[in-house]
mmCIF file of all heavy atoms in Angstrom:
data_model
loop_
_atom_site.group_PDB
_atom_site.id
_atom_site.type_symbol
_atom_site.label_atom_id
_atom_site.label_comp_id
_atom_site.label_asym_id
_atom_site.label_seq_id
_atom_site.Cartn_x
_atom_site.Cartn_y
_atom_site.Cartn_z
ATOM 1 N N ALA N 1 103.674 107.174 84.385
ATOM 2 C CA ALA N 1 103.150 105.881 83.950
ATOM 3 C C ALA N 1 102.115 105.342 84.932
ATOM 4 O O ALA N 1 101.103 104.765 84.535
ATOM 5 C CB ALA N 1 104.300 104.886 83.787
ATOM 6 N N ILE N 2 102.349 105.550 86.215
ATOM 7 C CA ILE N 2 101.412 105.074 87.234
ATOM 8 C C ILE N 2 100.104 105.846 87.176
ATOM 9 O O ILE N 2 99.011 105.276 87.203
ATOM 10 C CB ILE N 2 102.028 105.199 88.645
ATOM 11 C CG1 ILE N 2 103.177 104.202 88.816
ATOM 12 C CG2 ILE N 2 100.976 104.972 89.729
ATOM 13 C CD1 ILE N 2 103.987 104.414 90.079
ATOM 14 N N THR N 3 100.187 107.163 87.066
ATOM 15 C CA THR N 3 98.985 107.994 87.168
ATOM 16 C C THR N 3 98.231 108.116 85.851
ATOM 17 O O THR N 3 97.028 108.416 85.851
ATOM 18 C CB THR N 3 99.343 109.395 87.697
ATOM 19 O OG1 THR N 3 100.408 109.946 86.902
ATOM 20 C CG2 THR N 3 99.788 109.327 89.142
ATOM 21 N N VAL N 4 98.891 107.885 84.738
ATOM 22 C CA VAL N 4 98.196 107.896 83.448
ATOM 23 C C VAL N 4 97.275 106.693 83.341
ATOM 24 O O VAL N 4 96.163 106.778 82.839
ATOM 25 C CB VAL N 4 99.200 107.918 82.287
ATOM 26 C CG1 VAL N 4 98.543 107.481 80.988
ATOM 27 C CG2 VAL N 4 99.789 109.311 82.118
ATOM 28 N N GLY N 5 97.724 105.562 83.831
ATOM 29 C CA GLY N 5 96.910 104.357 83.783
ATOM 30 C C GLY N 5 96.625 103.931 82.357
ATOM 31 O O GLY N 5 97.529 103.843 81.528
ATOM 32 N N THR N 6 95.362 103.699 82.052
ATOM 33 C CA THR N 6 94.985 103.220 80.724
ATOM 34 C C THR N 6 94.843 104.352 79.712
ATOM 35 O O THR N 6 94.671 104.101 78.524
ATOM 36 C CB THR N 6 93.649 102.455 80.794
ATOM 37 O OG1 THR N 6 92.646 103.314 81.335
ATOM 38 C CG2 THR N 6 93.790 101.222 81.670
ATOM 39 N N GLU N 7 94.903 105.599 80.190
ATOM 40 C CA GLU N 7 94.776 106.743 79.278
ATOM 41 C C GLU N 7 96.163 107.129 78.756
ATOM 42 O O GLU N 7 96.750 108.114 79.171
ATOM 43 C CB GLU N 7 94.132 107.927 79.991
ATOM 44 C CG GLU N 7 92.701 107.653 80.447
ATOM 45 C CD GLU N 7 92.124 108.843 81.170
ATOM 46 O OE1 GLU N 7 92.588 109.127 82.283
ATOM 47 O OE2 GLU N 7 91.215 109.483 80.631
ATOM 48 N N GLY N 8 96.673 106.341 77.857
ATOM 49 C CA GLY N 8 98.062 106.509 77.434
ATOM 50 C C GLY N 8 98.272 107.563 76.378
ATOM 51 O O GLY N 8 99.020 107.345 75.428
ATOM 52 N N SER N 9 97.627 108.700 76.484
ATOM 53 C CA SER N 9 97.793 109.763 75.506
ATOM 54 C C SER N 9 98.776 110.808 76.019
ATOM 55 O O SER N 9 99.098 110.863 77.211
ATOM 56 C CB SER N 9 96.449 110.434 75.219
ATOM 57 O OG SER N 9 96.020 111.175 76.347
ATOM 58 N N GLY N 10 99.213 111.661 75.086
ATOM 59 C CA GLY N 10 100.092 112.743 75.486
ATOM 60 C C GLY N 10 99.423 113.712 76.433
ATOM 61 O O GLY N 10 100.053 114.257 77.343
ATOM 62 N N LEU N 11 98.128 113.933 76.249
ATOM 63 C CA LEU N 11 97.407 114.833 77.144
ATOM 64 C C LEU N 11 97.312 114.254 78.548
ATOM 65 O O LEU N 11 97.397 114.989 79.537
ATOM 66 C CB LEU N 11 96.007 115.112 76.598
ATOM 67 C CG LEU N 11 95.936 116.026 75.373
ATOM 68 C CD1 LEU N 11 94.507 116.109 74.853
ATOM 69 C CD2 LEU N 11 96.468 117.418 75.709
ATOM 70 N N ALA N 12 97.141 112.937 78.647
ATOM 71 C CA ALA N 12 97.091 112.308 79.974
ATOM 72 C C ALA N 12 98.437 112.441 80.670
ATOM 73 O O ALA N 12 98.512 112.683 81.873
ATOM 74 C CB ALA N 12 96.695 110.840 79.841
ATOM 75 N N ALA N 13 99.518 112.290 79.904
ATOM 76 C CA ALA N 13 100.852 112.461 80.486
ATOM 77 C C ALA N 13 101.073 113.897 80.923
ATOM 78 O O ALA N 13 101.659 114.158 81.985
ATOM 79 C CB ALA N 13 101.914 112.040 79.471
ATOM 80 N N THR N 14 100.585 114.836 80.124
ATOM 81 C CA THR N 14 100.700 116.256 80.495
ATOM 82 C C THR N 14 99.963 116.534 81.788
ATOM 83 O O THR N 14 100.454 117.255 82.669
ATOM 84 C CB THR N 14 100.131 117.140 79.368
ATOM 85 O OG1 THR N 14 100.873 116.907 78.167
ATOM 86 C CG2 THR N 14 100.217 118.618 79.735
ATOM 87 N N ARG N 15 98.770 115.960 81.920
ATOM 88 C CA ARG N 15 97.996 116.136 83.145
ATOM 89 C C ARG N 15 98.746 115.578 84.348
ATOM 90 O O ARG N 15 98.782 116.189 85.423
ATOM 91 C CB ARG N 15 96.638 115.450 82.989
ATOM 92 C CG ARG N 15 95.712 115.610 84.179
ATOM 93 C CD ARG N 15 94.369 114.938 83.928
ATOM 94 N NE ARG N 15 94.529 113.507 83.696
ATOM 95 C CZ ARG N 15 93.523 112.710 83.313
ATOM 96 N NH1 ARG N 15 92.327 113.206 83.102
ATOM 97 N NH2 ARG N 15 93.740 111.429 83.129
ATOM 98 N N SER N 16 99.367 114.402 84.205
ATOM 99 C CA SER N 16 100.114 113.802 85.305
ATOM 100 C C SER N 16 101.312 114.655 85.703
ATOM 101 O O SER N 16 101.604 114.824 86.884
ATOM 102 C CB SER N 16 100.586 112.393 84.916
ATOM 103 O OG SER N 16 99.495 111.511 84.795
ATOM 104 N N LEU N 17 102.011 115.204 84.710
ATOM 105 C CA LEU N 17 103.148 116.070 85.006
ATOM 106 C C LEU N 17 102.691 117.363 85.687
ATOM 107 O O LEU N 17 103.386 117.886 86.565
ATOM 108 C CB LEU N 17 103.918 116.393 83.724
ATOM 109 C CG LEU N 17 104.750 115.240 83.160
ATOM 110 C CD1 LEU N 17 105.279 115.588 81.769
ATOM 111 C CD2 LEU N 17 105.915 114.893 84.096
ATOM 112 N N ALA N 18 101.524 117.867 85.292
ATOM 113 C CA ALA N 18 100.975 119.063 85.954
ATOM 114 C C ALA N 18 100.644 118.765 87.412
ATOM 115 O O ALA N 18 100.873 119.600 88.297
ATOM 116 C CB ALA N 18 99.732 119.546 85.209
ATOM 117 N N ALA N 19 100.116 117.560 87.666
ATOM 118 C CA ALA N 19 99.824 117.166 89.049
ATOM 119 C C ALA N 19 101.110 117.086 89.866
ATOM 120 O O ALA N 19 101.175 117.572 91.006
ATOM 121 C CB ALA N 19 99.101 115.827 89.071
ATOM 122 N N LEU N 20 102.140 116.487 89.276
ATOM 123 C CA LEU N 20 103.426 116.400 89.972
ATOM 124 C C LEU N 20 104.005 117.794 90.203
ATOM 125 O O LEU N 20 104.560 118.084 91.272
ATOM 126 C CB LEU N 20 104.389 115.547 89.158
ATOM 127 C CG LEU N 20 105.770 115.293 89.759
ATOM 128 C CD1 LEU N 20 105.663 114.590 91.109
ATOM 129 C CD2 LEU N 20 106.635 114.478 88.800
ATOM 130 N N GLY N 21 103.848 118.661 89.218
ATOM 131 C CA GLY N 21 104.349 120.028 89.359
ATOM 132 C C GLY N 21 103.683 120.784 90.486
ATOM 133 O O GLY N 21 104.315 121.617 91.148
ATOM 134 N N SER N 22 102.400 120.497 90.736
ATOM 135 C CA SER N 22 101.701 121.189 91.822
ATOM 136 C C SER N 22 102.268 120.801 93.183
ATOM 137 O O SER N 22 102.095 121.527 94.160
ATOM 138 C CB SER N 22 100.203 120.889 91.773
ATOM 139 O OG SER N 22 99.936 119.538 92.123
ATOM 140 N N VAL N 23 102.961 119.668 93.225
ATOM 141 C CA VAL N 23 103.599 119.231 94.476
ATOM 142 C C VAL N 23 105.006 119.797 94.597
ATOM 143 O O VAL N 23 105.399 120.317 95.646
ATOM 144 C CB VAL N 23 103.637 117.695 94.556
ATOM 145 C CG1 VAL N 23 104.458 117.234 95.768
ATOM 146 C CG2 VAL N 23 102.229 117.123 94.622
ATOM 147 N N VAL N 24 105.796 119.715 93.524
ATOM 148 C CA VAL N 24 107.215 120.069 93.628
ATOM 149 C C VAL N 24 107.490 121.551 93.393
ATOM 150 O O VAL N 24 108.499 122.071 93.880
ATOM 151 C CB VAL N 24 108.073 119.211 92.671
ATOM 152 C CG1 VAL N 24 107.922 117.737 92.988
ATOM 153 C CG2 VAL N 24 107.733 119.485 91.215
ATOM 154 N N ARG N 25 106.612 122.247 92.659
ATOM 155 C CA ARG N 25 106.888 123.658 92.383
ATOM 156 C C ARG N 25 106.990 124.498 93.654
ATOM 157 O O ARG N 25 107.865 125.375 93.742
ATOM 158 C CB ARG N 25 105.810 124.231 91.447
ATOM 159 C CG ARG N 25 106.051 125.690 91.053
ATOM 160 C CD ARG N 25 107.360 125.845 90.291
ATOM 161 N NE ARG N 25 107.653 127.229 89.950
ATOM 162 C CZ ARG N 25 108.255 128.097 90.757
ATOM 163 N NH1 ARG N 25 108.602 127.709 91.986
ATOM 164 N NH2 ARG N 25 108.513 129.320 90.362
ATOM 165 N N PRO N 26 106.147 124.283 94.678
ATOM 166 C CA PRO N 26 106.292 125.077 95.911
ATOM 167 C C PRO N 26 107.636 124.885 96.614
ATOM 168 O O PRO N 26 107.984 125.686 97.491
ATOM 169 C CB PRO N 26 105.134 124.576 96.784
ATOM 170 C CG PRO N 26 104.111 124.106 95.807
ATOM 171 C CD PRO N 26 104.908 123.480 94.705
ATOM 172 N N LEU N 27 108.394 123.848 96.248
ATOM 173 C CA LEU N 27 109.705 123.659 96.857
ATOM 174 C C LEU N 27 110.643 124.826 96.564
ATOM 175 O O LEU N 27 111.591 125.074 97.309
ATOM 176 C CB LEU N 27 110.351 122.363 96.345
ATOM 177 C CG LEU N 27 109.724 121.052 96.815
ATOM 178 C CD1 LEU N 27 110.237 119.890 95.980
ATOM 179 C CD2 LEU N 27 110.017 120.811 98.283
ATOM 180 N N ALA N 28 110.369 125.527 95.464
ATOM 181 C CA ALA N 28 111.226 126.650 95.100
ATOM 182 C C ALA N 28 110.971 127.879 95.955
ATOM 183 O O ALA N 28 111.766 128.820 95.959
ATOM 184 C CB ALA N 28 111.028 127.004 93.626
ATOM 185 N N ALA N 29 109.866 127.871 96.691
ATOM 186 C CA ALA N 29 109.515 129.030 97.512
ATOM 187 C C ALA N 29 110.387 129.086 98.762
ATOM 188 O O ALA N 29 110.966 128.081 99.197
ATOM 189 C CB ALA N 29 108.045 128.964 97.912
ATOM 190 N N ALA N 30 110.467 130.265 99.336
ATOM 191 C CA ALA N 30 111.216 130.426 100.585
ATOM 192 C C ALA N 30 110.563 129.598 101.687
ATOM 193 O O ALA N 30 109.348 129.386 101.693
ATOM 194 C CB ALA N 30 111.241 131.896 100.985
ATOM 195 N N ASP N 31 111.374 129.130 102.613
ATOM 196 C CA ASP N 31 110.873 128.273 103.692
ATOM 197 C C ASP N 31 109.786 128.958 104.509
ATOM 198 O O ASP N 31 108.873 128.294 105.008
ATOM 199 C CB ASP N 31 112.026 127.858 104.614
ATOM 200 C CG ASP N 31 112.969 126.872 103.939
ATOM 201 O OD1 ASP N 31 112.623 126.374 102.852
ATOM 202 O OD2 ASP N 31 114.050 126.607 104.508
#
């Protein structure tokens, strides 16, 4: 909701989730 801002479409939400995924996905990697 914060990162979508005024672009309240499903594609904007998908983009925001992809951005979040780029941060949390590496957590699954070995230390």
Side-chain angles (χ1 to χ4, degrees):
I2 291 170
T3 52
V4 162
T6 58
E7 297 179 291
S9 70
L11 287 174
T14 300
R15 182 178 61 187
S16 292
L17 287 170
L20 183 59
S22 70
V23 173
V24 301
R25 183 62 183 85
L27 290 166
D31 289 350

